[in-house]
Structures are given as C-alpha cells and as structure tokens.
Amino acid sequence: MTVNEWTLEGFVDHFDFVHHKMLDHKFVWVLGAGTSFASGIPVGSELVDTWLKEMHLKEDATKTPLEEWATAANLGIPGFKFKERASYYPKVYHRRFEAYPEEGFAYLESVMSEKDPSPGYSILAAALADDPPRHNVVITTNFDNLVADALSIYTDTFPFVAGHESLTQFVRVAMRRPLICKIHRDLLLGPQNDPRSLRRLHDAWGTALRALFQHYTPLFIGYGGNDDTLMDLLESLQPGDVKGQMVWCYYERSKPSERIVNVVTDLKGVLVPVPDFDLLMVLLGEKMGIGILDEEIEERASARTARYRSRIQRLDTVAHPVVAEALAATLERSGGWWAWEQKALFESDPLRRETVYRQAIQHLPGSPELFTNFATFLWYERKAIPEAEQMFRKAAELAPTDAEILDNMAQFLWIERANFKEASDLYLKVIELGSENAWIYANLADFLIATEKFTQADGFIKKAKLLNKTHMKDLDISLAISSAILSRVRNEDDTASIEQLRPLLSEKVDFSTVTFKGILRFTRTKLCAADHAFFANLTAALINSGKGVDLDRLLQTRTLQAKTANVSVTNDG
C-alpha cells in the first residue's frame, strides 16, 4: 500500500475546509520535541550529541575521536550505530544518567528553564482557548510547560494539565477548558526518559488516548516517533479507531522513519512536509482567523504591570510605616513621585492621605511635584496655611523654572496671603518662561482682574481660550466666569459670557472652594451687591451641586435684587 502524501498548501486548504465547513470535526494537536526547538529547547538529537561528548570526555583517556569511541561496546548499547545515534535517545540518556538519575532530571530542568514560547505557541494557545471549545486538546511527549505558559501569556484561559498517568481519570473527550496530556509525565513528576519507561505506554494513558482519537483527528507536529509508547499504541489501532483522516507533519529537510510511514499508511492518514512549527502555525492561524499576538502581549503585560503597581500602591503604609521604607525603591522604579502621588490619592481619608504625602517627601526630598501637590492638599483640604506656604516655597526652590509650580505658589500668595507683590513677580517669571498651559493664563487673568489690570486680564483670557484646544469643561467655565466679571466691572453687558456657560452647566464639574476665593473677594468690593451675589451663588452651585446649575434661576434672582436695590435708592432720594 502506497503512503498518501500531501503538499503543505494542500493540507492548509484541507484544514481550512474542515475548520469552517465541518464544525463537528475537531483536531487534537500531537506535539513532539520538534515543536519546542524554536523556543530554545534542544531536540533529542542535540541532547544525544551533548551526552555522548560528556561521556567521551570522562571515559576516554586515549583521546580517540568521538565517532570511533562511541560504539555499541563502549556504550553498552546493543546495536548502537553512530550515524543513527538520534534514534537511540532513550538508551543514551539511560547510559549517561543511570548512576545518578536525579542528575538527569536536573539536566532536563536546566535546558527547559527560562524558555519563552515561540510565536507558533501563541497561535496554538489562541486556538486552544477558543470559545466554544474546538481544537482544544494537546497530546505531547514533551516535558516542558510551553503550551501552558503560552495560554497564560496570550490568553485568559488556564488548562487542565494531565502530567501524570494518575490524572487520566480526569481526562474526558469533551472538556470546557484546554486539555494538555503529557504522556511521558511532567518535568517535575518523574519524567519518563529511559528505555524501560519508554518501552510501553501506561494502560491508563492507552485507554484515555483511544477515547480521544475516537472524537478528535490527530495532527502530528514535531514528533519523530523514537519511542515505543505512543508508537505502539498507534500501531495497535485500526482505521476506524481514529476520527477523520490522521495528518502527520514532518520536517521538510528530512524523511519520516519507516515506522511512521507504516503507521500513517495503515491508518489511512497523510504525510505532509512542513518548514517548521512556527511557520506551520502561522499558516493554520490565518485560516482560523488568528494572527501574531505581539500587540496582545504588550496589552496584557501593561495591564498586568498596572494591576501590580496599583496593588503595591494600595499597601497600607499608614498603619504600617515600616513598609514605606521597604516600598520606597519599588515606588521609585514604578513611577517615582507619580507613584507616590497615586498612592496618596488612593486614600480617601484626609489624615491617611497626609501621612502618605509625608512619607513621600521623606523618601523623595528632591521632588518639586510632590511638594507642590502636598502644599495644595494642605491648603485646600487641611487649611494648614503656614505649612502650605513652606511646601510651596520648597517646591519653587527645587524647580525655579517650572511654570506650573510657580503658578501654584503665586495663586496661594495672592488668594490666601494677599501678597500681590510677590505673586506679581512670580507671574512675570511665568510669562518669561512661555508656558503653553492654558490654566496658567486663566489663573493669571484672575490675578490681573483682582489687581485691576483689566486690559491685560482680557488679553490673557483670550490667550487661555486659544490654548484650550481640547476644550476642558472646567477651564471653559472658569474663563466664562472671568469674562463675565470683567464685563461687569467695566459696566458692560455680560450676557455673551453668561450664555457661554449655559451648555457647560448640564452636569457637575469638580471645583475646589479655593478656586474662586480670590476673585469673589474682588467682586465683593468692586461690583454691586446683586452682581456679587450672582457670582457667589453661581460658583457655590458649581462647587456644591451634584445636579448641575440652574442658571436661569440665578439670573432671575440677580435681576430681582438689582430692581429692589434701584427702588430702594429711588425711595431714599
């Protein structure tokens, strides 16, 4: 009987048809050592050469060439032929480590450790994790964890790994999650790698695999058939014992063994020459709608890093201050002052937030950002004015050319301290720095209104509007209020500015009670009572209302108050 062999393109076309047109048809991935090669794990032939060289170095005192020394007699391996040495893998392994089996296990662990799954495994993982389950079973002679690692790296699905024959009782033909059958055991569970253990497949695995082959079509990749376990089982099967047409992919630069050819022929399967595991999986992935998952790696890694850092930031350094010392280096690596800032903001209780800020400036005494943010907190939340000023001055000392930090200090000085001279000097520096921060010019405009430099204020309001390209709602509101106040102080109609507010007041925007403190102090002395009351009530509503601002009611109240004031003046006259 002649073996049936397909081209790679023909097989990929067949896979495409089965995947999309025969939805009750499922493949089981049967993986050998060849699939792990691209991930940096040596194949059996490489390991055989390594072990032969090690034994040659230890045992040959005559310096005979390796090819001459490695004979059946010297190795104690009947029938050994150097040219066919790869096929003697189990016996060479046994010869190398028979005196100390634990060394053999350690050796395998060392060559498989710290290996990342190659790109082909990313596509395999996506296929295994597909929902609803389809081609979700792997049978492998490999000890490594590349399949499970790939599922962890590329998907949110974790598999059931049957890494020992005692677990076969949990292997079912219909499982919701990916199934990985390690028929030679897991690397950490006494892997079967010697002639005795590879002579016969454990009965429990025989039963489980027979059941799987009745429901899944086996797709062999990277398996050279150099053991008697799986091969004996395959040779015992009848064509009717395997669902569909078995496919055996072999490396295109070599030929499958006679034993493989006979198995494929007897089971009416097909042979397919393939370039390597990764390239084959790219082709099959394209048919399954699965591409290379490089972006998914970045997204999942970034999300995992963010979660990890967030959990670090939530560790309770307030109740356990000694932890702050231990975390200082970690927080520095995960964002420095910004990581501490996020940790502080996480605390809803002001006292706990203050503690975190104090821990932050203790560990990062050179951070102007932390000092200015702590100063703002002390000013807004704690009303600790003297210490807030110390923190603002420390921030300005650390960053004398940082426009935002100078702006924060200037606001504090004129609003809280009424120190207009020093605030003016700071704003002159800010202007010289040429900042593009729209908020700075909005704050400067309020300062100029308060110091009755109205023309300059008007210019900076316009500049702030031009710089507010993203139309931050809170800034648009602040600028509209400043424009309205400027109009009223000039005895001009403020309707245009007020109407700009209307579409912005449909929902709550967060403002601090400090935000309008300085400008309201100005309106109290420079505007009529009705206008001052209007702006005071408007800003209070912005700060306190959770349901938006009733602008029409505020305007009606202002009109009524103005009329009442006029009537009172007329009556007095």
Side-chain angles (χ1 to χ4, degrees), residues 60 64 170 177 282 433:
D60 179 30
T64 304
F170 303 105
R177 63 182 62 260
V282 168
L433 291 169

Side-chain angles (χ1 to χ4, degrees), residues 235-311:
E235 288 169 341
S236 71
L237 298 177
Q238 299 297 319
D241 294 334
V242 177
K243 182 178 178 67
Q245 191 168 20
M246 180 180 74
V247 178
W248 197 301
C249 298
Y250 68 91
Y251 185 45
E252 62 186 2
R253 296 183 184 178
S254 62
K255 290 293 183 181
S257 68
E258 181 179 353
R259 192 175 187 187
I260 290 175
V261 171
N262 290 337
V263 165
V264 173
T265 301
D266 291 344
L267 296 179
K268 302 185 185 303
V270 294
L271 291 172
V272 180
V274 299
D276 61 32
F277 172 64
D278 286 345
L279 291 173
L280 174 63
M281 292 309 300
V282 168
L283 293 173
L284 298 183
E286 192 273 331
K287 299 305 180 184
M288 292 184 286
I290 304 170
I292 296 297
L293 306 181
D294 53 330
E295 292 183 356
E296 284 79 357
I297 297 177
E298 291 183 359
E299 291 175 2
R300 289 175 61 80
S302 296
R304 178 174 291 178
T305 301
R307 288 194 300 270
Y308 181 76
R309 287 175 174 168
S310 174
R311 288 163 184 165

Side-chain angles (χ1 to χ4, degrees), residues 6 25 31-32 95 98 105 120 126 142 168 253 257 285 296 314 329 355 397 411 413 440 469 477 498 527:
W6 289 350
H25 200 94
L31 307 183
R95 171 67 165 77
E98 63 180 329
F105 297 155
N142 300 336
T168 55
R253 296 183 184 178
S257 68
E296 284 79 357
R314 295 184 182 194
T355 300
E397 176 188 325
Q411 284 189 81
L413 288 173
I440 289 179
K469 294 181 174 60
I477 291 173
I498 296 300
L527 296 182

Side-chain angles (χ1 to χ4, degrees), residues 26-36 121 124 128 135-142 147 179-181 183-184 209 212-213 216-225 227 230-231 233-234 237 242 246-250 277 280-281:
K26 300 177 288 187
F27 286 100
V28 53
W29 313 88
V30 186
L31 307 183
T35 62
S36 303
Y121 278 99
L124 175 61
L128 291 170
H135 318 302
N136 66 331
V137 178
V138 168
I139 298 170
T140 181
T141 57
N142 300 336
V147 178
L179 168 64
I180 302 173
C181 301
I183 62 174
H184 290 169
L209 296 189
L212 287 173
F213 288 149
Y216 293 82
T217 298
L219 172 52
F220 291 81
I221 309 174
Y223 176 54
D227 63 86
L230 182 56
M231 291 302 293
L233 173 68
L234 294 172
L237 298 177
V242 177
M246 180 180 74
V247 178
W248 197 301
C249 298
Y250 68 91
F277 172 64
L280 174 63
M281 292 309 300

Side-chain angles (χ1 to χ4, degrees), residues 294-447:
D294 53 330
E295 292 183 356
E296 284 79 357
I297 297 177
E298 291 183 359
E299 291 175 2
R300 289 175 61 80
S302 296
R304 178 174 291 178
T305 301
R307 288 194 300 270
Y308 181 76
R309 287 175 174 168
S310 174
R311 288 163 184 165
I312 287 176
Q313 290 166 1
R314 295 184 182 194
L315 292 176
D316 192 352
T317 60
V318 177
H320 307 280
V322 68
V323 178
E325 182 71 33
L327 286 180
T330 300
L331 291 172
E332 177 66 21
R333 289 194 300 272
S334 64
W337 77 267
W338 178 247
W340 279 105
E341 175 69 14
Q342 295 305 300
K343 184 168 178 56
L345 294 178
F346 171 74
E347 300 290 351
S348 57
D349 178 72
L351 289 175
R352 291 177 61 87
R353 183 173 296 179
E354 180 179 343
T355 300
V356 173
Y357 269 126
R358 294 193 185 280
Q359 291 173 343
I361 62 175
Q362 177 185 350
H363 291 290
L364 289 178
S367 170
E369 298 89 354
L370 278 176
F371 276 100
T372 196
N373 289 350
F374 185 34
T376 301
F377 167 78
L378 290 171
W379 180 23
Y380 285 15
E381 301 292 335
R382 305 295 289 149
K383 315 302 181 190
I385 305 306
E387 188 177 13
E389 182 171 351
Q390 293 176 14
M391 296 298 116
F392 276 125
R393 291 192 181 278
K394 180 63 176 179
E397 176 188 325
L398 290 170
T401 59
D402 188 310
E404 294 182 21
I405 287 176
L406 297 181
D407 169 51
N408 288 334
M409 182 176 174
Q411 284 189 81
F412 172 81
L413 288 173
W414 81 265
I415 293 174
E416 202 59 53
R417 292 300 205 189
N419 188 341
F420 294 100
K421 174 63 173 67
E422 192 171 359
S424 179
D425 292 340
L426 287 170
Y427 272 125
L428 286 175
K429 291 182 182 180
V430 169
I431 294 170
E432 290 174 3
L433 291 169
S435 172
E436 294 293 305
N437 187 323
W439 266 110
I440 289 179
Y441 296 107
N443 295 334
L444 175 54
D446 283 350
F447 171 74

